[in-house]
Amino acid sequence: MQTKPISDYLIEKASGEKVYFESDKLVNSLIRSGAGEELANRILQAISLELHDGMHTREIYRKAYQILQKQERKTAVNYRLKQAVLQLGPSGYPFEYFVGELFKARGFKVDVGKLVNGYSVRHEIDVVATNGHKQIFVECKFHNYQGTKTNVIVPMYIRSRFDDLNRGRNAVKQPEPMPMQGWIVTNTRFTEDAIKFGRDYGLTLLGWDYPQKGNLKEWIELERLHPITSLSSITRKEKEALLDKGIVMCHDLYQRMMNGEHLPLSPRNFRASKRELKVFIE
């Protein structure tokens, strides 16, 4: 159920030749373009999620440079990022939507809160991300306090749900079923037992600083996707009112402002936040 090593993917060169993906070539090309080694490796980690057999080298490099350009345009917009994500509560739904936006940025079609038939029962999946080559079922575990950890009970429960979904899919006749993955995403951390269970049973765990490379914090920073709770120009009450209206992302808020939509902001904070938003989206 886990994604195979990136060096095992056969990709297509401009000549039509099929070769195994060489991560060093991508990293070196990014470094030659001005990226630091650490940033180049983080971009490689991001690209690995989208790799599939038959992917063209041109598409790989285009995606890599798109991420690089986001980094080079602005580098000082991640202040208080962890606290901003913690403020997406208390219901947890804004966090699910936020995670969905991260997958969209990586080229996935996303459904939030989707009902999917398993073999025995129907399951409500927090995020279903599909890109034509794989389908990822994501369970989002949101915590309001950064000291709270997601324990082993969660991956044990998710594994049973994933098995039922997988069995249900296999019961339906189809020529080549799309590869499936089970993910758990949390805005805090996992216990050691949770990490071990996830690793042993083929689940992908994504926490604030787990794994060491390609974690949630790095993903947000690379894609430059920030929740409206990152804004310092509006009050907490105004942030909560915006979240209640389903406005989670900075780019969504800015677009609604430009469309002239009535928003629960004071005139003064409306003007101030509009100026601040340009830092996050440009």
Side-chain angles (χ1 to χ4, degrees):
M1 292 176 209
Q2 290 179 313
T3 306
K4 61 185 178 181
I6 58 177
S7 57
D8 288 352
Y9 284 101
L10 277 171
I11 61 172
E12 184 177 344
K13 299 173 67 174
S15 63
E17 180 186 2
K18 298 289 181 66
V19 297
Y20 286 106
F21 177 69
E22 296 181 68
S23 58
D24 289 348
K25 287 187 175 180
L26 176 59
V27 169
N28 290 335
S29 70
L30 289 166
I31 292 174
R32 288 195 299 272
S33 298
E37 184 175 351
E38 180 183 356
L39 175 58
N41 279 290
R42 288 168 63 188
I43 293 173
L44 169 65
Q45 185 72 24
I47 293 298
S48 67
L49 182 61
E50 302 184 48
L51 277 177
H52 57 83
D53 288 320
M55 193 173 187
H56 202 284
T57 53
R58 179 176 59 250
E59 184 180 1
I60 293 170
Y61 283 86
R62 178 180 60 80
K63 290 177 179 293
Y65 287 120
Q66 283 178 344
I67 298 174
L68 177 62
Q69 287 167 3
K70 291 178 184 177
Q71 291 298 297
E72 295 305 317
R73 284 207 306 266
K74 194 65 68 172
T75 58
V77 296
N78 295 314
Y79 178 65
R80 291 181 69 249
L81 178 58
K82 187 172 186 177
Q83 190 64 32
V85 175
L86 285 168
Q87 291 176 7
L88 286 174
S91 70
Y93 178 78
F95 182 63
E96 295 169 15
Y97 182 87
F98 179 63
V99 170
E101 289 295 303
L102 293 174
F103 276 95
K104 284 182 184 179
R106 297 265 166 100
F108 285 79
K109 178 184 176 182
V110 168
D111 291 299
V112 176
K114 183 177 182 180
L115 288 171
V116 182
N117 289 326
Y119 184 80
S120 298
V121 296
R122 297 185 82 191
H123 302 266
E124 183 174 356
I125 309 300
D126 291 339
V127 178
V128 178
T130 309
N131 70 354
H133 304 282
K134 70 181 75 170
Q135 189 167 52
I136 299 175
F137 293 97
V138 184
E139 177 77 8
C140 297
K141 300 305 294 183
F142 176 80
H143 300 292
N144 289 291
Y145 303 100
Q146 60 185 11
T148 307
K149 292 185 178 182
T150 298
N151 63 34
V152 69
I153 294 173
V154 175
M156 291 174 70
Y157 165 65
I158 298 308
R159 172 67 195 205
S160 66
R161 294 184 71 193
F162 186 65
D163 285 347
D164 188 56
L165 288 164
N166 203 29
R167 187 178 179 187
R169 186 185 65 157
N170 291 336
V172 179
K173 301 286 185 182
Q174 48 183 324
E176 290 186 18
M178 184 181 296
M180 287 174 58
Q181 295 177 15
W183 283 46
I184 304 172
V185 180
T186 183
N187 62 314
T188 56
R189 292 177 174 175
F190 297 98
T191 64
E192 290 299 320
D193 283 348
I195 291 171
K196 185 178 187 306
F197 187 92
R199 185 185 302 122
D200 290 346
Y201 284 91
L203 296 170
T204 297
L205 270 58
L206 184 70
W208 184 255
D209 52 10
Y210 180 85
Q212 186 175 0
K213 293 183 178 180
N215 51 55
L216 181 61
K217 178 178 181 290
E218 289 185 352
W219 193 339
I220 297 169
E221 290 175 346
L222 277 176
E223 299 297 347
R224 297 191 66 245
L225 287 171
H226 292 76
I228 55 112
T229 45
S230 302
L231 297 170
S232 60
S233 52
I234 59 178
T235 66
R236 184 167 190 136
K237 186 175 181 180
E238 287 173 328
K239 292 174 185 177
E240 291 171 355
L242 290 170
L243 291 173
D244 287 342
K245 286 177 65 68
I247 304 173
V248 178
M249 308 302 296
C250 282
H251 63 77
D252 186 22
L253 176 58
Y254 186 76
Q255 186 61 52
R256 293 180 185 233
M257 286 179 166
M258 297 304 291
N259 291 341
E261 182 175 331
H262 176 72
L263 297 165
L265 301 172
S266 70
R268 178 180 179 181
N269 289 352
F270 181 96
R271 293 190 296 270
S273 59
K274 191 173 183 180
R275 290 192 297 270
E276 186 181 5
L277 278 166
K278 292 182 179 179
V279 176
F280 290 92
I281 65 175
E282 292 184 349

